[in-house]
């Protein structure tokens, strides 16, 4: 699958530093009707030379309007039917080594569910729009596709928005037979390298990520920013954040209720300026059985919250075989000193400075 080739290439070799011309910004949003006249300014995508014996051939172009990417694909297919399928893989190579591409599928019936193995989030599917037009006389099928920013995979927070667009068309002339496939990225990379979304695309989102954010990932109820060290460091929700909504945004279904693992982690701590500090718990409980499992641990990430924006200020163990369980939490609002005490007798002390908790060696045990 193109997706797997693309992921391997992205992890094995970072994209070369070279200028990329921005794809056009449209003057108005095109009407999704399968007629590409209003996408005529779009950038033609470079494609590999078509096999002379292929039963299907592709042409493609891309443009954007505000915060939406538009991709138009025309397929030369002498027998377009309900079994044929177009697969589009989008990936931003400069968005961090832990980011993944997303795979989208389309047929005569429009948007189809993405392949489970691709890891494409299910929540993006309702955000997609498409028009598919079959011209039997001309022997072509036209796919006009819209990808709003909230449906895209993780993209660059500040770096140029270089984007890989890979297409795979499966031509099934007879149901039950192996499809004939047409690829635009047979090696996992676009011919001539990625294309670039214009800077207006990112500005239209009106996001203001923290300086250490490398990639921004859309979530069902907001956005999560990842640092160069690949952990979530910045969050903005669609509404004012609560401990529950913050956990859902960052960890989705992987957050752990402290009460379920017998840890008295406070629901909320408060700094001297009245900003709340929410704590997110993730990992594997080392004390789930009679003997402690040294290969498992629980970790807590603390976020300072102001309205709908949260910034990570500390990431620390909550339960390990060495430390035991974190059972004591004290935050002095005036001094910004945070004390975490563990059942094995150790105490970790921190002081809030420069917008994060910094380890203090004074009084450590």
């Amino acid at each position: 699958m193109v997706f797997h080739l693309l992921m391997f290439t992205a992890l094995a070799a970072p994209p070369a530093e070279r200028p990329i011309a921005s794809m056009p910004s449209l003057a108005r949003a095109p009407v999704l009707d399968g007629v590409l006249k209003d996408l005529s300014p779009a950038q033609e995508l470079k494609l590999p030379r078509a096999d002379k014996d292929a039963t299907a051939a592709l042409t493609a172009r891309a443009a954007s309007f505000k915060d939406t990417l538009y991709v138009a694909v025309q397929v030369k297919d002498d027998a377009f039917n309900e079994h044929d399928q177009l697969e589009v893989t989008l990936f931003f190579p400069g968005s961090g080594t832990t980011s993944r591409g997303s795979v989208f599928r389309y047929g005569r019936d429009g948007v189809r569910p993405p392949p489970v193995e691709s890891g494409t989030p299910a929540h993006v599917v309702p955000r997609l729009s498409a028009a598919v037009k079959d011209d039997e006389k001309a022997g072509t099928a036209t796919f006009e596709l819209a990808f709003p920013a909230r449906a895209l995979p993780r993209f660059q927070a500040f770096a140029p928005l270089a984007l890989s667009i890979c297409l795979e068309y499966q031509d099934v002339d007879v149901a039950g037979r192996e499809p004939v496939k047409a690829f635009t990225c047979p090696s996992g990379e676009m011919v001539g390298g990625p294309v670039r979304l214009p800077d207006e695309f990112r500005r239209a989102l009106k996001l203001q990520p923290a300086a250490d954010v490398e990639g921004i990932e859309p979530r069902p109820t907001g956005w999560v920013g990842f640092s160069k060290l690949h952990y979530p460091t910045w969050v903005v929700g669609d509404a004012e954040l609560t401990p529950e909504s913050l956990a859902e945004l960052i960890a989705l279904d992987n957050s752990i209720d402290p009460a379920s693992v017998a840890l008295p982690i406070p629901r909320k701590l408060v700094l001297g300026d009245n900003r709340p500090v929410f704590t997110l718990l993730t990992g594997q409980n080392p004390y789930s059985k009679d003997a402690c499992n040294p290969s498992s641990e629980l970790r807590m990430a603390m976020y300072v919250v102001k309205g709908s924006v949260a910034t990570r200020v500390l990431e620390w163990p909550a339960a390990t075989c060495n430390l035991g369980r974190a059972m004591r939490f004290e935050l002095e609002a005036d001094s910004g000193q945070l004390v975490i005490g563990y059942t094995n007798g150790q105490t970790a002390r921190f002081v809030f400075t420069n917008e994060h908790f910094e380890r203090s060696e004074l009084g450590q045990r």
Side-chain angles (χ1 to χ4, degrees):
M1 183 181 289
V2 171
F3 173 79
H4 300 297
L5 288 171
L6 185 59
M7 284 302 301
F8 176 79
T9 302
L11 293 175
E17 294 292 334
R18 56 185 175 185
I20 308 173
S22 293
M23 68 175 66
S25 295
L26 301 173
R28 60 181 62 87
V31 177
L32 295 185
D33 54 6
V35 178
L36 304 184
K37 184 177 180 180
D38 48 3
L39 271 173
S40 57
Q43 177 182 356
E44 290 282 346
L45 303 184
K46 294 181 180 180
L47 305 177
R49 182 176 299 175
D51 188 333
K52 64 177 181 175
D53 298 322
T55 59
L58 307 177
T59 59
R61 63 182 75 170
S64 69
F65 175 71
K66 293 186 177 180
D67 62 350
T68 301
L69 166 70
Y70 293 92
V71 177
V73 181
Q74 195 163 69
V75 182
K76 188 73 174 178
D77 186 350
D78 55 4
F80 181 57
N81 60 61
E82 67 273 15
H83 303 291
D84 297 335
Q85 182 169 266
L86 175 68
E87 188 170 277
V88 180
T89 300
L90 302 179
F91 179 68
F92 291 89
S95 58
T97 56
T98 61
S99 63
R100 304 180 64 178
S102 290
V103 180
F104 309 93
R105 284 178 171 173
Y106 305 87
R108 290 191 68 160
D109 50 347
V111 180
R112 293 178 176 176
V116 174
E117 65 273 15
S118 72
T120 304
H123 71 81
V124 308
V125 176
R127 299 181 183 275
L128 301 172
S129 301
V132 182
K133 185 175 182 179
D134 180 16
D135 188 338
E136 295 184 9
K137 185 176 180 180
T140 61
T142 301
F143 297 81
E144 194 172 11
L145 315 174
F147 301 92
R150 292 290 283 264
L152 295 178
R154 191 185 307 177
F155 56 86
Q156 298 89 329
F158 299 104
L161 289 166
L163 169 66
S164 288
I165 304 174
C166 289
L167 310 172
E168 176 187 308
Y169 183 71
Q170 299 182 8
D171 183 17
V172 185
D173 287 336
V174 179
R177 290 188 181 178
E178 188 71 19
V180 177
K181 298 181 180 180
F183 300 94
T184 65
C185 302
S187 65
E189 293 184 336
M190 293 183 66
V191 176
V195 294
R196 178 179 172 178
L197 277 169
D199 294 337
E200 289 83 355
F201 178 91
R202 190 164 43 202
R203 285 199 292 267
L205 301 175
K206 298 180 180 180
L207 298 174
Q208 297 180 332
D212 62 341
V213 173
E214 180 180 49
I216 299 175
E217 188 169 295
R219 295 289 167 88
T221 57
W223 307 84
V224 176
F226 291 80
S227 75
K228 293 182 179 179
L229 297 177
H230 320 308
Y231 57 77
T233 187
W234 169 86
V235 175
V236 58
D238 294 338
E240 186 168 327
L241 293 170
T242 65
E244 294 77 17
S245 65
L246 178 66
E248 181 182 0
L249 257 171
I250 295 175
L252 300 175
D253 297 329
N254 297 317
S255 64
I256 298 172
D257 180 1
S260 69
V261 290
L263 290 177
I265 297 177
R267 184 174 183 268
K268 180 176 73 172
L269 298 169
V270 180
L271 293 172
D273 58 7
N274 291 322
R275 285 183 297 169
V277 179
F278 298 157
T279 302
L280 172 68
L281 185 65
T282 57
Q284 297 291 328
N285 185 11
Y287 295 97
S288 59
K289 297 182 180 180
D290 293 338
C292 186
N293 181 359
S295 64
S296 297
E297 68 174 357
L298 291 170
R299 298 192 72 85
M300 50 191 172
M302 293 186 173
Y303 289 81
V304 169
V305 178
K306 185 176 182 180
S308 62
V309 179
T311 305
R312 181 148 132 171
V313 293
L314 179 67
E315 197 272 343
W316 203 255
T320 70
C321 293
N322 179 45
L323 293 171
R325 300 178 178 91
M327 299 298 287
R328 181 165 65 99
F329 294 83
E330 299 175 2
L331 175 60
E332 296 181 3
D334 293 339
S335 65
Q337 293 185 23
L338 172 66
V339 178
I340 303 175
Y342 294 85
T343 53
N344 287 359
Q346 297 191 46
T347 301
R349 302 177 187 275
F350 307 86
V351 61
F352 191 76
T353 181
N354 296 323
E355 288 300 304
H356 71 279
F357 282 110
E358 185 174 303
R359 187 81 183 273
S360 171
E361 295 299 329
L362 182 63
Q364 298 291 338
R365 294 200 306 274

